[in-house]
Amino acid sequence: MLNIENLNIDFYNQEDKTWFKAVKRIGFNIKKGTVLGIVGESGSGKSVTSFSIMRLHDERTTKITGEIKFDGINILNLSTSEIRQIRGNQISMIFQEPMTSLNPVFTCGEQVVEAIILHQKVDRRTAKSKTIALFEEVQLPRPEKIFDSYPHQISGGQKQRVMIAMALSANPKLLIADEPTTALDVTVQKTILQLLLKLKEERDMAMIFISHDLGVIKEIADDIAVMYKGEIVEQGSAASIFQHPQHPYTKGLLACRPSPALQLKKLPVVADFLTGKIEDSHAHLQASNQFTAEEIDLHRAKLYQQAPLLQIEKLCTWYPVKNGFFGKATDYVKAVDEVSFNVFQGETLGLVGESGCGKTTLGRTILRLIQPTSGDIIFNGQNITSIGSTYLRKLRRDIQIIFQDPYASLNPKLTVGQSILEPLQVHKMFSNDSERKQKVLELLNKVGLKAEYFNRYPHEFSGGQRQRIVIARALALKPKFIICDESVSALDVSVQAQVLNLLRDLQQEFGLTYIFISHDLAVVKHISDRILVMNKGKIEEEGFPEEIFYAPKAAYTKKLIDAIPAS
């Protein structure tokens, strides 16, 4: 159905007036009814390749050569009007971020209706009934209600299903899914993957599934193409790629994803394989890189013989959603509902659960970024639940947070040096800015960044580098306790491994205590000493990682574990 040969894609750089080669001499075939998985890190050329199949690039600044044959027709030779007959009609695409792909000022139903009217030339009434039927096909609950809902009123998984319905509205022969499950909960991710496979079988479609996660690719793909720096470095059947990877980059991608079955001291990173430091794909499993039972027992004995650093007692954070006649709240959303637990100095406490379970609200309530409804937060022996703003500002030196999106948590108008310097100025640390700058340079070096980055702005860095900058800023005040709120969720698996290794190294060097919030149980098991499972505002279960994974008590915990993609 689709045959790509010797494809090259160049982008024009306006600043230095040169052409940048983004994709180099790639080629692959897709047969009807099969799934090709394209895997690689951000910047490897995956999305650029898929955009070229749809002819979505700005042709004034993009040069594409080679062949993209769809049903025997070279797409690159078609006129603008001819490609419009194919785009969205015979070839459809599900984009990575549904919130930015859906128009916030139109209801979900209206957006699908518009696509149906455009491609099928039917009246509005017919388009509406087709849309509701599609919503039922992609298993959206209450299709009529979601038809009238705006994107911000539904969950991430539901938004992704709306995007799938829109992509399927013209009954395409080829569906391109560009990172459709990135940053989704494992349970939602599993249902989306199952849904796509079901629809592919029923409609006999071909599919290109793009991801940076080989675990996800393994669940859905018949064949795999591995991309690195704009080239396909390895391709073949899914079975051969997973059982006998040949290229060092493929071996690295397979190895750097945390495995629930292993207890590694350090995750391997792709660079270890590309530089030849590790050659065999199983070399990182050597005994020296695995915790022994004795080491784990000694570590736990040391942690839990101390008094707790943080004590949470019957903590509640409720939001009023319904008021009575006199304006008094009569109903609440119980985001955090009578939660109690302890955290010990030097411990990493993992906090897992699906989106909406209350994890982030709990973390922000502990930091007093959200005011609790009731209960107690006792930090370092002092109840901080209702302390005033003056003391709370001083306390901020000891408690910090690393947010999920490093780009959103950095001021785009400040250089990264200024962003890290600012908290040192606010808390009057060191005698002058010259000494503070020296400290910032030390912090940049500590998180693996160069001194010359001090004067660069956030947009000049990759996602992994920005996350390192945010970690450096969190460390600037020498805190005792850091909440990591989904801090590696949206990163490539290779960058994720680097950041997880960094967090563990910093913990050992500075004696840090973490609450590590995530929906990814494999990551949480790798880094945590204990795990709390949260559901609907309450702690569903708690225990050591091996207890949670191999003997879960709660049905909800078992559901989360069953949804983890196979390694």
Side-chain angles (χ1 to χ4, degrees):
M1 179 182 290
L2 183 73
N3 181 271
I4 293 180
E5 290 184 10
N6 198 31
L7 181 66
N8 294 274
I9 304 173
D10 297 354
F11 292 124
Y12 187 67
N13 188 322
Q14 300 279 7
E15 291 183 7
D16 57 14
K17 312 296 183 189
T18 58
W19 288 90
F20 167 71
K21 194 169 282 296
V23 169
K24 310 160 194 171
R25 304 176 302 280
I26 72 166
F28 55 80
N29 302 306
I30 304 171
K31 295 177 183 176
K32 186 178 181 181
T34 63
V35 179
L36 172 71
I38 301 181
V39 70
E41 297 170 282
S42 297
S44 62
K46 309 184 302 293
S47 295
V48 169
T49 300
S50 66
F51 276 41
S52 69
I53 296 168
M54 297 278 285
R55 287 269 301 274
L56 290 174
H57 295 299
D58 184 345
E59 297 184 1
R60 295 167 298 179
T61 57
T62 310
K63 187 164 58 181
I64 305 177
T65 59
E67 285 190 345
I68 303 175
K69 285 189 175 179
F70 178 72
D71 278 348
I73 299 167
N74 190 347
I75 284 173
L76 298 179
N77 294 336
L78 298 180
S79 66
T80 303
S81 59
E82 288 171 330
I83 191 62
R84 280 180 182 156
Q85 297 302 311
I86 292 176
R87 184 195 297 142
N89 196 5
Q90 296 184 59
I91 307 175
S92 283
M93 191 164 186
I94 305 166
F95 294 96
Q96 178 172 355
E97 179 43 72
M99 192 64 207
T100 54
S101 302
L102 291 168
N103 192 324
V105 300
F106 290 102
T107 65
C108 297
E110 285 299 324
Q111 296 184 59
V112 182
V113 162
E114 182 185 29
I116 291 173
I117 292 173
L118 178 67
H119 291 294
Q120 299 184 26
K121 313 297 183 199
V122 296
D123 60 58
R124 180 179 164 72
R125 186 174 177 180
T126 305
K128 181 174 180 178
S129 64
K130 282 178 175 282
T131 298
I132 291 173
L134 280 166
F135 283 1
E136 289 172 349
E137 188 177 7
V138 299
Q139 299 168 17
L140 275 166
R142 305 181 306 282
E144 290 83 0
K145 179 172 173 52
I146 287 183
F147 185 97
D148 294 322
S149 298
Y150 290 90
H152 72 273
Q153 295 175 310
I154 61 177
S155 72
Q158 289 172 337
K159 283 193 278 280
Q160 198 60 283
R161 287 167 189 263
V162 170
M163 288 298 299
I164 293 170
M166 191 183 299
L168 295 175
S169 62
N171 199 22
K173 295 179 180 179
L174 172 65
L175 179 65
I176 301 171
D178 186 8
E179 300 267 15
T181 61
T182 298
L184 293 179
D185 296 333
V186 285
T187 49
V188 179
Q189 174 179 270
K190 185 175 183 178
T191 57
I192 294 292
L193 293 175
Q194 289 172 338
L195 174 64
L196 287 171
L197 282 172
K198 174 176 172 285
L199 294 169
K200 188 262 301 183
E201 293 293 334
E202 290 174 354
R203 292 167 173 253
D204 200 21
M205 291 186 303
M207 194 189 310
I208 296 175
F209 191 97
I210 297 168
S211 180
H212 62 256
D213 189 338
L214 271 161
V216 172
I217 289 285
K218 188 178 184 181
E219 299 274 311
I220 198 167
D222 300 301
D223 300 293
I224 295 173
V226 181
M227 290 194 73
Y228 176 62
K229 291 187 175 179
E231 298 182 79
I232 292 178
V233 294
E234 186 168 357
Q235 62 180 312
S237 69
S240 67
I241 295 289
F242 276 90
Q243 291 169 16
H244 307 289
Q246 299 300 309
H247 196 276
Y249 181 69
T250 312
K251 293 176 183 178
L253 283 182
L254 284 167
C256 65
R257 168 79 179 152
S259 170
L262 302 170
Q263 196 67 42
L264 298 180
K265 295 177 181 177
K266 208 173 192 71
L267 289 170
V269 296
V270 168
D272 292 338
F273 290 85
L274 292 175
T275 59
K277 185 178 177 182
I278 300 177
E279 293 184 8
D280 181 74
S281 56
H282 299 290
H284 67 288
L285 303 180
Q286 58 193 334
S288 62
N289 193 32
Q290 298 199 50
F291 286 106
T292 65
E294 292 79 8
E295 286 174 318
I296 293 170
D297 288 343
L298 280 170
H299 176 66
R300 287 175 180 171
K302 182 181 175 184
L303 279 180
Y304 303 122
Q305 68 183 5
Q306 319 169 77
L309 175 68
L310 177 72
Q311 296 166 270
I312 305 300
E313 298 177 358
K314 293 188 175 180
L315 190 64
C316 295
T317 306
W318 295 0
Y319 298 111
V321 291
K322 190 176 181 182
N323 293 329
F325 184 75
F326 295 104
K328 187 176 180 180
T330 58
D331 196 14
Y332 297 86
V333 170
K334 298 180 179 181
V336 177
D337 192 17
E338 294 211 345
V339 166
S340 299
F341 60 90
N342 295 330
V343 188
F344 296 83
Q345 178 70 44
E347 180 182 29
T348 299
L349 181 71
L351 184 60
V352 297
E354 296 172 287
S355 295
C357 72
K359 306 185 301 293
T360 294
T361 302
L362 174 57
R364 295 187 180 202
T365 303
I366 291 169
L367 294 175
R368 289 283 312 279
L369 297 173
I370 296 173
Q371 188 63 25
T373 306
S374 62
D376 292 308
I377 306 163
I378 301 166
F379 179 76
N380 214 13
Q382 180 172 9
N383 195 328
I384 65 168
T385 315
S386 55
I387 58 172
S389 58
T390 303
Y391 185 79
L392 190 59
R393 195 173 295 114
K394 291 179 182 176
L395 186 69
R396 298 254 183 253
R397 287 183 58 168
D398 289 333
I399 56 175
Q400 290 288 310
I401 184 168
I402 301 168
F403 294 101
Q404 178 173 359
D405 184 349
Y407 193 66
S409 58
L410 289 168
N411 188 331
K413 295 180 181 179
L414 297 181
T415 67
V416 299
Q418 290 169 328
S419 290
I420 303 170
L421 190 74
E422 188 178 40
L424 297 175
Q425 293 170 326
V426 169
H427 289 275
K428 297 181 172 58
M429 293 181 71
F430 303 100
S431 304
N432 53 56
D433 278 350
S434 178
E435 290 182 12
R436 293 180 188 117
K437 181 176 180 180
Q438 190 57 43
K439 179 62 179 177
V440 172
L441 296 176
E442 287 175 22
L443 286 165
L444 287 173
N445 180 62
K446 187 66 67 182
V447 299
L449 297 173
K450 297 175 183 176
E452 58 260 35
Y453 292 170
F454 185 96
N455 293 314
R456 295 189 187 176
Y457 289 87
H459 73 270
E460 299 180 73
F461 295 91
S462 68
Q465 287 173 321
R466 283 197 287 265
Q467 197 61 284
R468 288 170 183 266
I469 292 160
V470 173
I471 291 169
R473 184 176 61 181
L475 290 172
L477 300 175
K478 296 184 179 178
K480 295 176 181 175
F481 171 63
I482 299 176
I483 291 181
C484 305
D485 186 8
E486 298 276 13
S487 53
V488 297
S489 297
L491 300 177
D492 291 334
V493 286
S494 54
V495 179
Q496 182 184 82
Q498 294 170 24
V499 173
L500 290 172
N501 288 341
L502 174 64
L503 287 171
R504 183 168 273 174
D505 289 344
L506 293 170
Q507 182 176 48
Q508 290 172 354
E509 184 173 351
F510 298 110
L512 296 169
T513 304
Y514 297 135
I515 288 182
F516 192 92
I517 299 172
S518 180
H519 60 257
D520 189 331
L521 269 88
V523 168
V524 169
K525 182 180 183 293
H526 167 74
I527 201 166
S528 300
D529 296 299
R530 280 186 305 136
I531 297 174
L532 301 182
V533 181
M534 198 167 180
N535 181 28
K536 296 179 181 175
K538 292 183 177 291
I539 300 298
E540 191 88 16
E541 186 169 355
E542 68 174 283
F544 294 126
E546 67 274 14
E547 294 171 342
I548 296 293
F549 269 76
Y550 302 120
K553 294 172 186 162
Y556 177 76
T557 308
K558 192 173 187 306
K559 183 180 82 165
L560 288 179
I561 293 165
D562 290 343
I564 299 172
S567 298

